[in-house]
DNA sequence: CTGTTAGCGCCTTCAT
DNA sequence: ATGAAGGCGCTAACAG
């Protein structure tokens, strides 16, 4: 690893002025092709790499976007991040990633740091009581995933759709006794909205709503099963795959293999382990891609603040 | 968001020279406490944030480390990344994360980009045929996880230990008919090393080795079960939790609830769903922390190239 | 202790 | 089409 080369070094090496080298670097059209080629050759040979820090300082843009997610080990979020990375990287940006751990304070700290780093934009995975104001300051340089916000762009999941899809599929099979296992409505999206969707479906189909809510874990699903399971129950719709896993497990123990279980998340595990199950895909990966595309467009000034909803699909 | 403030602006605002402001920023001790306080006050009030780009350019260090992992949605890797993030962040660094998708070419591209970005160091998750040479150029500014390399520091998992631990536990229960399900030995670590560990254990315990290898998936575990399951089989040790999940599922189908299954990965799912199972924790999270600590020490010149092995434990 | 003065590496007028 | 010069925001000598 040779010592740090600068634009000036290769200017000398190529026998040109440093501005010409700069022009080559920025793809300025007003460079004689022959000169350009010569300079590029020298750059290659010398293994010169322009300093992003200097470019960033000069030009203002560091070509970096910050991503704040709540937990790296959340299957939904890391799928979305993969989508983000794909898009971001293809557009010549890089991502600095941070974990909020569902803590508003940490989130704001991270935003501070990202601001200081002069990142071009941020993508934040929202959670129930995160501080919208802090991200609002970023205006068009921010996109929030998973939570609706009016102040900045957002890409939400179709919390109603994921449940509707499951219900429709079950209703189409002429099932009339469908229970629901969700998470506490204090969680606005996975909790309240999905429960509401279930209730609405029940009303419309004129069937009785039977449900229970708890935490977002297998164990909670397992516990809640007995509460929502009646003799006539034909299916149990769950707000997430982890709940569904717990429910399916409990049903298996009880020998109720007749009851269909549905989850949300598109994990292959659920149906691999339990035959009588299916899962709805909220489109995590695509939501990630979408949000990244949105952000990049906004940074390029090609788009203004927008609110999108990722459509879900059956798996 | 007011316009860009610079160190000079707050220097004027505070009625001092800009170098004094700089000194405050860098915690230079030679500043009169009262002056320092005044400046800090102005910084607060004005909401000034020093530009990292400029600092990076001046000082040479951007306080960033690059992390190249193979897949974000690998439970093992994202646990490790969480560990890395914790440490990195506490040390005032940030992480830019990229996915190699097990592709040596992509990995090298990413390393290029990271170099161009002037990152202080890199942490790379190794995979079977990744290009050690590329990362070797980084010398003490790199740490490789999951694969042993002699040219740069590395933090490996105890591939022998994870299997030994499982075997010991089973042998202690006086079981003598223990099969193994692994992945193809073309994978050096999870494949070859763990198989070897199994074979060695068998030899030492003077029991017969019965094993099968395939891919790293539930399905593969499911398929291989019939191959390694004999009438007398008392336990099946698996090279990973996903394999174990498949094996346990198949055993359940076959009504062989007497057979104990072990996996590697410490996923809570395995034992939640299947009673007669346990999992070994290779210490992913800690390995992440360790590697980050190692890197930071090396960057500070406090440590030279080192090779560590993360110790595994029972869960 | 504090202000002044150079640059860091690059991009961008401004002349040529 | 190209070179010279200026400055981005900051830190690190060098003077007071």
């Amino acid at each position: 690893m040779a010592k740090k080369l600068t634009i000036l070094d290769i200017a000398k090496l190529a026998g040109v002025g440093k501005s010409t080298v700069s022009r080559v670097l920025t793809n300025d059209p007003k460079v004689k092709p022959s000169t350009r080629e010569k300079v590029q050759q020298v750059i290659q040979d010398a293994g010169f790499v322009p300093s992003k820090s200097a470019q960033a300082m000069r030009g203002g843009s560091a070509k970096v976007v910050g991503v704040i997610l709540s937990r790296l080990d959340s299957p939904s979020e890391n799928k979305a991040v993969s989508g983000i990375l794909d898009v971001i990287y293809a557009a010549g940006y890089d991502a600095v990633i941070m974990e909020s751990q569902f803590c508003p304070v940490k989130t704001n700290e991270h935003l501070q740091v990202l601001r200081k780093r002069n990142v071009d934009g941020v993508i934040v995975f929202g959670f129930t009581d995160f501080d919208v104001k802090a991200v609002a300051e970023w205006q068009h340089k921010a996109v929030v995933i998973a939570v609706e916000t009016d102040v900045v762009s957002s890409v939400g999941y179709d919390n109603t759709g994921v449940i509707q899809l499951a219900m429709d599929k079950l209703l189409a099979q002429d099932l009339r006794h469908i229970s629901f296992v969700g998470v506490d409505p204090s969680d606005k999206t996975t909790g309240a909205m999905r429960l509401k969707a279930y209730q609405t479906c029940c009303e419309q189909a004129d069937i009785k709503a039977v449900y229970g809510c708890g935490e977002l874990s297998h164990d909670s699903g397992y516990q809640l099963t007995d509460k929502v399971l009646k003799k006539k129950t034909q299916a149990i719709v769950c707000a997430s795959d982890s709940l569904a896993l717990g429910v399916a497990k409990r049903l298996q123990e009880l020998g109720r293999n007749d009851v269909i279980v549905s989850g949300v998340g598109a994990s292959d595990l659920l149906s691999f382990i339990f035959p009588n199950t299916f899962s709805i895909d909220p489109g995590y990966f695509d939501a990630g891609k979408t949000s990244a595309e949105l952000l990049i467009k906004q940074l390029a000034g090609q788009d203004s603040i927008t609110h999108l909803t990722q459509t879900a699909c059956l798996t």
Side-chain angles (χ1 to χ4, degrees), chain A residues 10 42 51 54 67 98 105 114 119 143 158 166 177 202 231 275:
Chain A
I10 54 143
V42 176
S51 147
V67 176
M98 321 182 124
V105 177
L114 292 173
V119 301
V143 173
D158 185 1
H177 299 278
C202 286
K231 293 226 177 49

Side-chain angles (χ1 to χ4, degrees), chain A residues 123-145:
Chain A
I123 298 180
V124 182
F125 286 75
F127 46 93
T128 292
D129 40 35
F130 92 118
D131 186 2
V132 191
K133 284 203 309 292
V135 61
E137 293 178 10
W138 292 73
Q139 301 184 60
H140 72 285
K141 294 153 151 300
V143 173
V144 170
I145 299 195

Side-chain angles (χ1 to χ4, degrees), chain A residues 67-287:
Chain A
V67 176
I68 303 182
L69 38 69
S70 41
R71 299 201 44 175
L72 219 32
D73 63 350
S74 146
S76 57
E77 297 200 358
N78 63 47
K79 282 193 195 81
V81 173
S82 278
I84 293 174
L85 253 36
D86 278 7
V87 173
I88 284 289
Y89 191 69
Y93 288 79
D94 289 309
V96 354
I97 294 184
M98 321 182 124
E99 281 187 292
S100 73
Q101 269 132 220
F102 301 101
C103 167
V105 177
K106 280 204 174 167
T107 309
N108 292 356
E109 276 179 24
H110 290 329
L111 284 171
Q112 271 294 334
V113 173
L114 292 173
R115 150 123 330 135
K116 186 178 327 190
R117 280 212 181 274
N118 237 311
V119 301
D120 301 84
V122 288
I123 298 180
V124 182
F125 286 75
F127 46 93
T128 292
D129 40 35
F130 92 118
D131 186 2
V132 191
K133 284 203 309 292
V135 61
E137 293 178 10
W138 292 73
Q139 301 184 60
H140 72 285
K141 294 153 151 300
V143 173
V144 170
I145 299 195
V147 165
E148 301 263 334
T149 59
D150 37 355
V151 285
V152 295
S153 287
S154 63
V155 175
Y157 298 117
D158 185 1
N159 289 291
T160 305
V162 290
I163 299 304
Q164 259 176 5
L165 233 49
M167 292 296 286
D168 287 353
K169 171 163 172 153
L170 296 167
L171 291 166
Q173 295 175 241
D174 276 331
L175 306 185
R176 308 283 305 160
H177 299 278
I178 307 173
S179 301
F180 176 82
V181 169
V183 308
D184 195 87
S186 62
D187 177 305
K188 296 283 181 290
T189 52
T190 312
M193 294 184 71
R194 296 189 188 175
L195 172 59
K196 185 77 195 313
Y198 166 74
Q199 292 170 318
T200 306
C201 285
C202 286
E203 251 174 62
Q204 290 176 351
D206 194 33
I207 67 179
K208 188 168 162 231
V210 179
Y211 61 88
C213 292
E215 291 170 18
L216 192 56
S217 68
H218 328 120
D219 227 53
S220 181
Y222 183 91
Q223 313 268 5
L224 289 165
T225 307
D226 291 6
K227 184 173 168 189
V228 304
L229 183 67
K230 312 291 173 191
K231 293 226 177 49
K232 294 195 287 186
T233 302
Q234 297 165 303
I236 301 179
V237 169
C238 304
S240 85
D241 276 355
S242 56
L243 288 169
L245 236 12
V247 170
K249 157 81 175 165
R250 178 63 181 152
L251 289 174
Q252 189 182 60
E253 271 180 17
L254 297 169
R256 290 293 301 267
N257 298 325
D258 54 307
V259 179
I260 300 176
V261 176
S262 84
V264 173
S267 91
D268 52 334
L269 222 68
L270 183 60
S271 56
F272 173 75
I273 296 177
F274 301 105
N276 221 2
T277 63
F278 66 94
S279 181
I280 304 296
D281 183 4
Y284 295 126
F285 186 82
D286 288 332

Side-chain angles (χ1 to χ4, degrees), chain A residues 22-42:
Chain A
S22 177
R23 288 190 183 97
V24 171
L25 255 30
T26 51
N27 284 313
D28 189 319
K30 332 175 269 180
V31 184
K32 200 202 299 175
S34 66
T35 312
R36 172 183 303 274
E37 200 153 334
K38 183 174 60 184
V39 173
Q40 267 163 344
Q41 188 58 47
V42 176

